Amino acid sequence: MTVQVMIADDSALFREGLAVLLERAGFTVTGLAGDGETLAGLVRARPPEVAVVDIRMPPSYTVEGLELAIRLRREHPSVAVLLLSNHVETHHAGELFGGAPHRTGYLLKDRVGAPDELADALHRVAAGQTVLDPTVVARLVSRPREPGPLDRLSPREREVLTLVAEGRSNQGIADLLGLTQKTVEGYVRGIFGKLGLTDTAADNRRVLAVLRYLRG
Amino acid sequence: MTVQVMIADDSALFREGLAVLLERAGFTVTGLAGDGETLAGLVRARPPEVAVVDIRMPPSYTVEGLELAIRLRREHPSVAVLLLSNHVETHHAGELFGGAPHRTGYLLKDRVGAPDELADALHRVAAGQTVLDPTVVARLVSRPREPGPLDRLSPREREVLTLVAEGRSNQGIADLLGLTQKTVEGYVRGIFGKLGLTDTAADNRRVLAVLRYLRG
DNA sequence: TTTCCCTCGAGGGATAACCCTGGGGTTCCG
DNA sequence: CGGAACCCCAGGGTTATCCCTCGAGGGAAA
């Protein structure tokens, strides 16, 4: 008997192409969706054995697919989920693979060399295994990543830094947060210190802090 | 008789999926390639009627496909070229559509709602027409884009701004450019003026200028 | 409890970053 | 020959951004 599979991907072209490829590989495609909400409805109506889920989808175009995967895992534990993304999204990925990694997979579109590889991965997750791209594994095991200077900031300091990075003045930040300009100055000084920005005549620490913040 | 088509796309999954979709739509897929160079070789050996080319491909992952399209247009004028990209790359696109836009197309993967739309577009470019996504058209006609505030900067001002955006102080910039700190101040003031950054107590103009610069 | 960090504020001071005006020079264009 | 723009500099001023130190209050951990 064939394995039933559903697909969620915002690109109609990719979605349809994938459907045909999987049918050729012996799967039965029982549902196609362009966003997470639609797929959730399809799954609820007729749960397939495995769902292929893209991560970046409408409406948020950020980590919608990851949230959908977590939700499917909770509401329909029998449905295997294979995430298929362009990039590695480690941020919320740990949440998904931390608890029960069974029947779950995460592959990168660019690193799937042939349709057969995907078909094989689908069979494996449907059978209960966990399928991870080596790149994803590397990112997951290296988490929690060694704390960068930005992680050493206190919550309030981080809040101030985001406003600094929006181009606010110290006074403007004070008004927004209901603080004194003096207090904001203190936070800014603390931020510089924790970011390792020593006082030099050649550069502007405020801009440097903004750059560090923007670069992650 | 069926239309012969070749496909270049770095994603094997997308490439293969597209191939089966097109074959279902009545095309004959005579070649698949994962990068531009490979496709150029295939085209040289057995020129198809139309080539579907992704823009971001190895090895540069920038505008390889655009360069390939221009090259195909020159070396094999009889081969229609349909660019299929994720984003609009206006920068070198004008070069392609400026001269002879016949047998050329540019569609966005996300905006192709159904495989039939792509099939239709392929038939049209193979017939000599030009097929452009409305979004692409809008970008092309608005080029040269109305000069943004950044374009009004003088060369020297732009030079100063890039150094400001690297976190340099006025003195540091003066040292690097062999100027006086006073002169740099003058440029910075000019930059603020041209960027329309008026003096307000709520924000830091230097950071705002950096943000504008970074956002292109 | 002691200790530490976070939060918030203050006084007092240094200086970098800004404003203004004015002046030199060049090039290019009408 | 004017303008007009760019490039470069200077004097003299205001203020925001930084420095230092000191302190109060709270919560969390040792």
Side-chain angles (χ1 to χ4, degrees):
Chain A
M1 81 172 247
T2 77
V3 176
Q4 297 183 348
V5 55
M6 283 186 179
I7 303 172
D9 194 298
D10 62 309
S11 168
L13 228 40
F14 184 85
R15 192 198 314 151
E16 300 280 348
L18 192 57
V20 179
L21 282 180
L22 292 182
E23 294 208 328
R24 280 201 171 187
F27 293 87
T28 301
V29 179
T30 59
L32 293 179
D35 62 285
E37 202 52 48
T38 306
L39 189 82
L42 292 174
V43 169
R44 184 164 28 241
R46 290 193 303 134
E49 293 174 62
V50 54
V52 179
V53 177
D54 184 28
I55 291 191
R56 284 173 45 190
M57 284 190 295
S60 62
Y61 280 103
T62 51
V63 290
E64 256 244 341
L66 266 173
E67 293 163 359
L68 171 64
I70 294 171
R71 183 171 153 198
L72 289 179
R73 196 106 308 275
R74 188 178 59 243
E75 300 178 1
H76 304 275
S78 68
V79 178
V81 176
L82 180 67
L83 287 165
L84 199 56
S85 172
N86 292 303
H87 309 290
V88 186
E89 304 281 352
T90 30
H91 213 55
H92 300 86
E95 191 176 340
L96 177 62
F97 294 101
H102 296 299
R103 296 179 186 279
T104 313
Y106 192 145
L107 293 182
L108 298 178
K109 285 183 182 177
D110 295 345
R111 290 176 58 88
V112 177
D116 286 349
E117 293 184 17
L118 184 65
D120 182 56
L122 282 176
H123 279 123
R124 300 231 306 275
V125 293
Q129 295 186 33
T130 303
V131 176
L132 289 177
D133 185 275
T135 310
V136 179
V137 176
R139 288 283 189 94
L140 286 177
V141 297
S142 72
R143 282 187 77 256
R145 67 191 189 285
E146 71 286 346
L150 281 175
D151 302 290
R152 296 192 46 236
L153 298 181
S154 74
R156 204 55 162 168
E157 285 169 338
R158 204 183 319 274
E159 208 168 344
V160 169
L161 181 53
T162 71
L163 292 173
V164 168
E166 289 175 4
R168 314 281 186 171
S169 68
N170 289 348
Q171 184 59 55
I173 295 171
D175 294 344
L176 284 174
L177 297 182
L179 301 177
T180 314
Q181 184 250 20
K182 275 292 188 185
T183 303
V184 174
E185 286 182 7
Y187 284 126
V188 170
R189 224 177 322 128
I191 292 169
F192 290 163
K194 291 187 179 178
L195 293 186
L197 300 174
T198 61
D199 192 0
T200 63
D203 32 41
N204 182 306
R205 317 236 277 309
R206 181 175 272 249
V207 172
L208 285 178
V210 170
L211 293 178
R212 297 250 182 129
Y213 175 80
L214 294 178
R215 311 294 183 213
Chain B
M1 77 173 249
T2 75
V3 176
Q4 295 182 348
V5 56
M6 284 185 178
I7 302 172
D9 193 297
D10 62 308
S11 167
L13 227 41
F14 185 85
R15 191 196 318 150
E16 301 279 349
L18 192 58
V20 295
L21 280 181
L22 292 181
E23 295 209 328
R24 278 203 170 187
F27 293 85
T28 302
V29 179
T30 58
L32 293 177
D35 63 286
E37 202 51 47
T38 306
L39 189 80
L42 291 174
V43 169
R44 184 165 27 243
R46 292 194 301 135
E49 294 173 61
V50 54
V52 179
V53 177
D54 184 27
I55 291 192
R56 283 173 45 189
M57 283 190 297
S60 62
Y61 282 101
T62 51
V63 290
E64 255 245 344
L66 265 173
E67 293 164 359
L68 172 63
I70 295 171
R71 183 172 154 198
L72 288 179
R73 195 106 310 272
R74 189 178 60 242
E75 300 179 359
H76 304 275
S78 67
V79 178
V81 176
L82 180 68
L83 287 167
L84 198 57
S85 173
N86 292 302
H87 311 290
V88 186
E89 303 282 351
T90 32
H91 213 56
H92 300 82
E95 192 177 340
L96 178 61
F97 293 100
H102 296 299
R103 296 178 186 279
T104 312
Y106 192 143
L107 293 182
L108 298 178
K109 284 183 182 176
D110 295 343
R111 291 176 56 89
V112 177
D116 286 348
E117 294 183 16
L118 184 65
D120 182 55
L122 281 176
H123 279 122
R124 301 232 306 276
V125 293
Q129 296 185 33
T130 304
V131 177
L132 289 178
D133 185 277
T135 310
V136 179
V137 176
R139 287 283 188 94
L140 285 177
V141 297
S142 72
R143 284 190 74 252
R145 67 190 190 284
E146 70 286 345
L150 280 176
D151 301 292
R152 296 191 48 235
L153 298 181
S154 75
R156 203 56 162 171
E157 284 170 339
R158 203 183 319 276
E159 209 168 344
V160 169
L161 181 52
T162 70
L163 292 173
V164 167
E166 289 175 4
R168 313 281 185 171
S169 68
N170 289 350
Q171 184 59 54
I173 296 171
D175 293 344
L176 283 173
L177 297 182
L179 301 176
T180 315
Q181 184 251 21
K182 276 291 188 184
T183 302
V184 175
E185 285 183 6
Y187 284 127
V188 171
R189 229 179 316 129
I191 292 169
F192 289 163
K194 290 187 180 178
L195 293 186
L197 300 173
T198 61
D199 192 0
T200 62
D203 31 41
N204 182 305
R205 315 234 279 309
R206 182 174 272 250
V207 172
L208 286 178
V210 169
L211 294 177
R212 296 247 182 132
Y213 176 80
L214 293 178
R215 310 296 183 210

